[in-house]
Amino acid sequence: MAATAEPSEPRGPMDPLAIATEATRSLRGMSTELTARVPQLLEAMRSVGTGLELHSTLDRIAETAAELANARYAAIGVVDSTGEGLADFITYGVTEEQHRRIGALPDGQRGLLGALIHTPEPVMLADLASDPRSAGFPPGHPPMRSFLGVPIRVEGEIFGNLYLTEKRGGGEFSIADLHMVKILATEAGIAIGNARLYEEGRQRMRWIDGSVAVTTALLSGSDAEDALSVVAEQARRLADSAAGIVLLPDGEGGLEMVAVAADDPAGLLGTVIPPDSPVVGQLLAGDPVFTDDSATDPRMTTEVRHRFGPSMLLPLKSGDRVLGTLATPRARGARRFTDAERTLGAQFAAQAALALVLAEAQRDRERLAVYEDRDRIARDLHDLVIQRLFATGLMLESAQRNAVVPDVQDKVGQAVDELDVTIQEIRTAIFALQQGPAEAPAGLRTRVLRELGTAAVPLGFQPSASFLGPVDAKVGELTGKNLIAALREALSNAFRHAQATRIEVVVDATATLPDGRPAVRLTVADDGVGIPQGGRRSGLRNLAKRAESLGGSSSYGPGLGADGRGTRVVWEAPL
């Protein structure tokens, strides 16, 4: 037996009493069987209308519909944004073991489910296999004969279809079942609309809170690389994605992954999307790119694309300036990004870009203040300290000439020599203080010395440095950038927490990792108070994450002080 009925007219939100009154009125004149089931229908409608979480609402609708029509199985197919397939498929009555045997859920591209998407009308069948639209079942699928399908509308738009199969007892679904399920589908549309509004509001609040957290973190004084990591981590959390990735222009027209938040970041950091990739021009022009499957999308050209499925690539754009790109790829087979998620993601990227610009301006002001302070210190050293030391040296030379005792002459001469050496060291320090960031060579050795010179101002003393092996020749740019960031983090920890009076830095380009790979090892040791029990470890975690993303490691132990006081941080990564 097969029958179809006209879909009910779409309605706006109604209160439960009005829905029940209308449902009862529509059943007048129906069979005694149908009238007798009205209390069951009202209880089903009450059950469907409780709760506001969308997915649990869909689960409850499927279960309630199966109980109302006495069906063994129920499902809800949620139509995707294109109207051509299914974005989600919720089932009732199918066990986990059956799900595993069936494999992938239907996509609604063919068969009876596909036909109902394009022709959303109620359908009732005595035998699924006899319908010409049926495409059959995959291996492992439980047997199903009788079928009842009803469209679900939300605010007049097709949301999906409610499917019921296998009438218990082996019979067929009746006209009474059809009418009852149609009324339930109307109530389901209202419940889904309310749940969807609630979910969208909650989702919007999460993204807003995430934007606030990013802005707060970026303006709290973090360096540029940490700022990008904050953006990547927040984007991953908010988008419920497998990774959060920030890409910046690489100077050759492509985009390089410079910050990665993922359970397995190996192989991602440093990956470059080449300039001839179809997406690069679009992203650098400030336009977003969305894909439902990165692994099969021909626009995606990197080797890592096979690891991901649905992805959003959002330009970090502030005004007319495009800073880079924010990518939030989900795992293979994960659900697609909804239109609401795409809109919220684009808004988050714009807010993050603005926060990055503001943080950059703030860091520029802070750097300017530091350079001005360094210039003042350099002038004071030159105009006051060196002049006084020079005058003291002249006085000692005069005293040396007038001294009668040879031993006194020798001691005074040694003091004069020491003053000469001190004056030369101060002049070297003055030169380093007056040297701008653009004037120094780009070698790793110079960058390490520059970091130590910058740290000397807040520390109040100059950390010592030693280098082993051809540091500039062996250490690559990506590893060098991360080593400098690790050094900066270690020096910052020593300044803020250690109360150190001595710091020794060693950069060893002749080191090897436990697996035998050649590596560079950074050691920063101080004589401070050490790491207290129960103290914060965020800085050490940052060091470890940065090393692990390159395939290396980070550890810490006793420092330079007596009895092992202080802290020794060892950070290493492959060359």
Side-chain angles (χ1 to χ4, degrees), residues 4-363:
T4 62
E6 293 297 322
S8 58
E9 290 296 323
R11 301 180 299 178
M14 300 176 63
D15 63 75
L17 179 59
I19 296 169
T21 302
E22 183 174 335
T24 304
R25 188 183 299 116
S26 68
L27 294 174
R28 288 174 183 168
M30 295 294 180
S31 66
T32 304
E33 174 199 354
L34 191 59
T35 305
R37 294 171 64 184
V38 168
Q40 184 185 5
L41 173 62
L42 296 178
E43 176 59 25
M45 293 167 64
R46 184 202 64 77
S47 174
V48 165
T50 59
L52 286 173
E53 200 277 324
L54 181 57
H55 211 279
S56 64
T57 298
L58 296 176
D59 287 335
R60 192 163 50 252
I61 291 170
E63 180 180 358
T64 303
E67 293 174 354
L68 181 65
N70 201 21
R72 186 180 301 275
Y73 305 108
I76 296 175
V78 181
V79 178
D80 63 21
S81 58
T82 66
E84 299 295 326
L86 296 177
D88 201 357
F89 196 77
I90 293 88
T91 63
Y92 169 77
V94 181
T95 66
E96 289 295 328
E97 178 60 31
Q98 288 173 326
H99 268 302
R100 282 193 292 271
R101 289 201 301 266
I102 294 170
L105 295 174
D107 57 11
Q109 300 291 332
R110 58 193 179 88
L112 182 59
L113 300 189
L116 292 179
I117 291 174
H118 294 94
T119 309
E121 296 178 354
V123 173
M124 191 164 61
L125 303 171
D127 186 359
L128 270 169
S130 65
D131 191 278
R133 297 168 293 184
S134 177
F137 296 117
H141 197 285
M144 295 181 181
R145 294 185 68 255
S146 53
F147 175 85
L148 177 60
V150 177
I152 299 176
R153 289 179 169 84
V154 176
E155 298 179 358
E157 299 292 331
I158 290 295
F159 173 82
N161 289 283
L162 172 61
Y163 316 109
L164 300 171
T165 61
E166 279 298 286
K167 179 81 170 180
R168 292 185 185 276
E172 304 173 10
F173 292 105
S174 66
I175 294 295
D177 292 327
L178 175 61
H179 283 290
M180 299 280 273
V181 173
K182 282 175 60 179
I183 295 170
L184 183 66
T186 301
E187 166 64 11
I190 297 170
I192 290 169
N194 292 337
R196 193 160 63 177
L197 287 173
Y198 175 75
E199 185 68 22
E200 288 175 358
R202 231 177 25 160
Q203 189 179 55
R204 190 174 294 108
M205 286 303 301
R206 284 199 303 270
W207 282 91
I208 291 173
D209 291 343
S211 296
V212 171
V214 164
T215 303
T216 302
L218 298 190
L219 297 180
S220 65
S222 300
D223 61 41
E225 293 188 14
D226 287 342
L228 297 178
S229 296
V230 169
V231 173
E233 289 167 3
Q234 285 290 340
R236 181 196 181 195
R237 180 182 66 84
L238 294 169
D240 191 24
S241 56
I245 305 171
V246 175
L247 302 96
L248 296 182
D250 67 349
E252 298 181 1
L255 290 168
E256 180 185 357
M257 298 181 187
V258 298
V260 176
D263 291 336
D264 182 17
L268 296 175
L269 195 66
T271 297
V272 175
I273 303 179
D276 58 354
S277 173
V279 301
V280 169
Q282 189 173 342
L283 292 169
L284 293 180
D287 299 321
V289 174
F290 303 104
T291 177
D292 290 336
D293 188 5
S294 297
T296 58
D297 193 319
R299 297 173 299 173
M300 303 298 168
T301 57
T302 63
E303 290 298 322
V304 299
R305 70 186 187 277
H306 300 293
R307 296 170 57 174
F308 302 113
S311 298
M312 294 193 296
L313 283 78
L314 308 166
L316 292 168
K317 182 179 180 182
S318 179
D320 295 331
R321 181 184 176 192
V322 178
L323 305 178
T325 296
L326 173 63
T328 57
R330 284 178 174 160
R332 295 293 305 277
R335 64 179 179 86
R336 305 167 186 170
F337 288 99
T338 65
D339 290 340
E341 287 175 322
R342 294 181 178 189
T343 300
L344 291 170
Q347 292 172 350
F348 172 84
Q351 178 65 29
L354 177 60
L356 286 169
V357 170
L358 294 175
E360 182 183 29
Q362 177 174 288
R363 286 191 298 271

Side-chain angles (χ1 to χ4, degrees), residues 440-448 450 471-472 484:
L444 180 59
R445 184 187 301 263
T446 301
R447 283 185 284 170
V448 169
R450 188 194 307 161
V471 172
D472 290 338
I484 291 297

Side-chain angles (χ1 to χ4, degrees), residues 274-514:
D276 58 354
S277 173
V279 301
V280 169
Q282 189 173 342
L283 292 169
L284 293 180
D287 299 321
V289 174
F290 303 104
T291 177
D292 290 336
D293 188 5
S294 297
T296 58
D297 193 319
R299 297 173 299 173
M300 303 298 168
T301 57
T302 63
E303 290 298 322
V304 299
R305 70 186 187 277
H306 300 293
R307 296 170 57 174
F308 302 113
S311 298
M312 294 193 296
L313 283 78
L314 308 166
L316 292 168
K317 182 179 180 182
S318 179
D320 295 331
R321 181 184 176 192
V322 178
L323 305 178
T325 296
L326 173 63
T328 57
R330 284 178 174 160
R332 295 293 305 277
R335 64 179 179 86
R336 305 167 186 170
F337 288 99
T338 65
D339 290 340
E341 287 175 322
R342 294 181 178 189
T343 300
L344 291 170
Q347 292 172 350
F348 172 84
Q351 178 65 29
L354 177 60
L356 286 169
V357 170
L358 294 175
E360 182 183 29
Q362 177 174 288
R363 286 191 298 271
D364 286 342
R365 290 193 299 270
E366 292 172 351
R367 279 195 293 266
L368 180 60
V370 169
Y371 292 140
E372 289 176 346
D373 199 31
R374 288 169 62 178
D375 284 342
R376 179 188 58 78
I377 294 171
R379 287 195 303 271
D380 289 346
L381 286 173
H382 182 273
D383 297 342
L384 300 176
V385 178
I386 286 184
Q387 297 302 324
R388 289 182 179 178
L389 289 174
F390 187 72
T392 303
L394 291 177
M395 287 189 294
L396 287 173
E397 286 181 343
S398 176
Q400 182 186 25
R401 287 192 297 268
N402 296 327
V404 178
V405 180
D407 188 50
V408 173
Q409 286 184 332
D410 292 340
K411 293 294 185 183
V412 173
Q414 291 175 8
V416 171
D417 293 339
E418 288 294 329
L419 281 177
D420 288 339
V421 172
T422 302
I423 290 172
Q424 290 300 320
E425 290 178 347
I426 292 175
R427 282 176 174 162
T428 301
I430 291 172
F431 175 77
L433 287 170
Q434 291 178 328
Q435 190 177 43
E439 298 169 357
L444 180 59
R445 184 187 301 263
T446 301
R447 283 185 284 170
V448 169
L449 293 175
R450 188 194 307 161
E451 290 296 326
L452 298 183
T454 301
V457 175
L459 286 170
F461 62 90
Q462 178 71 38
S464 67
S466 58
F467 301 88
L468 301 177
V471 172
D472 290 338
K474 277 193 171 184
V475 181
E477 180 61 24
L478 177 62
T479 302
K481 282 168 46 178
N482 282 275
L483 184 145
I484 291 297
L487 172 61
R488 191 178 301 137
E489 179 80 34
L491 291 173
S492 175
N493 289 340
F495 166 65
R496 288 181 296 174
H497 309 300
Q499 303 174 22
T501 60
R502 182 163 61 103
I503 296 178
E504 294 180 359
V505 175
V506 179
V507 180
D508 183 2
T510 65
T512 56
L513 296 177

